[in-house]
Amino acid sequence: MRYALLIGGLIVAATPAHAADPRAAYVTMVLQAFAAKVECPGTDLVYQDLVQRAQDMHLPDGTTEQVRKAIAYMHTGGKMGEKQPDDLMTEVAIATQTTDLDQRRAGSMTTWCQDQKSRLAGYIRTK
């Protein structure tokens, strides 16, 4: 229960900054691309295009790798990836919650996967 309240508080506290912060938007996009790779059969990730997108957004070099490590760390309970600065870990937690809500709202994983294929075209592809 405390965890749910903590995450809820983080979402409320960070939502305005999340919407305006390009890195937070990028974190959500990367997390959703990785989720599509895992959740959607026959889907692969185009890592280099994610790196290019970070550059296009004028994010610091290495952002994609930091985000990848943070996602891996959070979603494996610290068994993979590496803990990143607290602000990035918070952005990953918020992106995770957002993605979970999107998946539930879609009604089925098949529908969510179809949505991602069009929204993330260029970052994910069919194997």
Side-chain angles (χ1 to χ4, degrees):
M1 183 65 170
R2 283 187 202 170
Y3 179 72
L5 290 173
L6 174 65
I7 293 297
L10 288 173
I11 290 171
V12 170
T15 299
H18 183 73
D21 181 14
R23 186 179 78 173
Y26 180 75
V27 168
T28 300
M29 183 184 68
V30 172
L31 185 125
Q32 289 180 344
F34 275 103
K37 177 181 177 173
V38 171
E39 300 288 345
C40 306
T43 302
D44 204 1
L45 172 68
V46 185
Y47 188 82
Q48 189 55 43
D49 289 348
L50 291 171
V51 172
Q52 183 61 50
R53 179 67 178 144
Q55 291 171 349
D56 293 347
M57 294 175 75
H58 305 289
L59 296 172
D61 288 344
T63 297
T64 304
E65 190 60 13
Q66 284 183 320
V67 172
R68 184 197 65 77
K69 288 177 181 178
I71 291 168
Y73 185 85
M74 184 167 288
H75 287 260
T76 63
K79 293 178 182 172
M80 295 176 66
E82 296 173 9
K83 186 168 183 340
Q84 298 297 310
D86 288 344
D87 61 331
L88 179 55
M89 297 305 289
T90 299
E91 288 172 355
V92 171
I94 292 167
T96 299
Q97 290 294 315
T98 301
T99 301
D100 287 345
L101 289 172
D102 285 348
Q103 290 172 343
R104 284 190 216 129
R105 201 173 307 130
S108 74
M109 195 54 72
T110 303
T111 301
W112 184 82
C113 288
Q114 289 302 321
D115 292 345
Q116 296 313 301
K117 286 178 183 176
S118 54
R119 275 188 350 96
L120 298 173
Y123 308 113
I124 61 173
R125 65 173 180 225
T126 303
K127 287 184 184 179

